[in-house]
Amino acid sequence: MSEKNIMIDAIDVNKEYRRAGAIIRALADVNLKIKSGEFVIIQGPTGCGKSTLLNVLSGLDLPDSGRIIFDGENIARATEDRLSRLRRQKIGFVFQDFNLVNTLTAIENVEAVLWPTVLRQKEIENRGITALRDVNLLARKDHYPVQMSGGEQQRCAIARAIIHRPRVILADEPSGDLDPTSEKEIMDLLTKINKEMETTVIVVTHRDLSKYGTKTIRMDNGRITKIQ
Ligand SMILES: Nc1ncnc2c1ncn2[C@@H]1O[C@H](COP(=O)(O)OP(=O)(O)OP(=O)(O)O)[C@@H](O)[C@H]1O
Ligand SMILES: [Mg+2]
């Protein structure tokens, strides 16, 4: 089978933490292939290793052993410089707590990803406006985070995550702090981005969001227990 359309290939990945004399196997023999254009839901209980997995898949953290092939490149061995470039160019991150800068407006939060840059101010502004329009938040462009609802803040964070047109969006519990209506809105928006921009989307969550995924991977105790 051709491996050409594999976006992320994790092979025999292990990661342990030592705490107070105890060893925690946060990732135990994890094997995982994610194809370009998939929408993958990784579901499991608290502490099962979901955030650790996203961190190693994006090179934010290194596994103890195993390989992570991201878009054809083994990132378990890449330099920090290379990794930060890869993240800047190919990955958009979305977090549970939105991670917006409170002293910046919605559009400034989105544009900030592109600073410092060789782009002209007008070009940056155009891209910011496009990204906010993509998430249907243009009307809140000049609002600060405190002036937006949780769902709006997360849409702003998604605009920030897509402004550089990443190949992959990694979302860690993106609807964890939201009510059911906003959760649906955020998951529908990620679905739209997945389809229209052909961005690979990976969402980790303890909730049952499997209906949104093209594939659901279940984790428990650092292990993948089921792929369906
Ligand atoms: N820096 C660390 N030092 C020690 N142990 C850690 C560290 N980070 C995570 N762990 C442990 O590794 C395991 C996996 O943690 P991880 O944060 O990946 O879980 P999670 O599935 O994201 O949980 P949650 O749903 O609560 O966010 C847990 O037992 C956690 O306590
Ligand atoms: Mg977590």
Side-chain angles (χ1 to χ4, degrees), residues 50-52 172-173 204:
K50 303 181 298 291
S51 297
T52 306
D172 196 339
E173 212 69 80
V204 305

Side-chain angles (χ1 to χ4, degrees), residues 36-198:
S36 181
E38 276 191 302
F39 191 133
V40 180
I41 305 287
I42 300 177
Q43 191 201 351
T46 180
C48 75
K50 303 181 298 291
S51 297
T52 306
L53 179 60
L54 278 195
N55 290 345
V56 303
L57 292 183
S58 57
L60 280 172
D61 209 347
L62 288 178
D64 298 331
S65 64
R67 284 183 293 156
I68 311 280
I69 316 293
F70 189 107
D71 205 10
E73 181 176 351
N74 183 6
I75 60 167
R77 295 186 168 208
T79 61
E80 194 41 57
D81 254 19
R82 178 74 201 114
L83 287 174
S84 63
R85 183 141 35 96
L86 173 120
R87 285 192 295 268
R88 254 193 342 265
Q89 293 174 344
K90 297 192 181 175
I91 303 178
F93 290 96
V94 179
F95 302 96
Q96 176 168 358
D97 55 6
F98 324 133
N99 271 6
L100 297 174
V101 179
N102 286 324
T103 51
L104 299 180
T105 61
I107 189 139
E108 288 167 348
N109 264 284
V110 173
E111 290 174 354
V113 178
L114 301 175
W115 308 335
T117 176
V118 292
L119 296 174
R120 289 166 185 275
Q121 183 50 38
K122 190 73 200 154
E123 172 65 13
I124 294 179
E125 207 180 310
N126 286 342
R127 290 202 197 184
I129 286 171
T130 303
L132 281 180
R133 192 178 291 126
D134 286 338
V135 303
N136 195 20
L137 199 67
L138 203 48
R140 297 284 181 276
K141 154 179 167 307
D142 298 315
H143 286 220
Y144 288 92
V146 290
Q147 299 169 320
M148 293 189 277
S149 70
E152 288 170 343
Q153 289 182 62
Q154 193 59 303
R155 269 152 55 203
C156 182
I158 291 173
R160 180 182 58 183
I162 59 173
I163 193 171
H164 60 304
R165 305 277 152 166
R167 303 288 312 275
V168 181
I169 290 179
L170 298 179
D172 196 339
E173 212 69 80
S175 61
D177 280 343
L178 302 176
D179 60 76
T181 310
S182 306
E183 171 170 282
K184 182 173 183 313
E185 206 176 271
I186 292 301
M187 294 307 293
D188 286 344
L189 175 59
L190 290 172
T191 304
K192 184 180 103 164
I193 291 167
N194 169 251
K195 292 213 172 100
E196 292 178 6
M197 299 183 184
E198 296 173 13

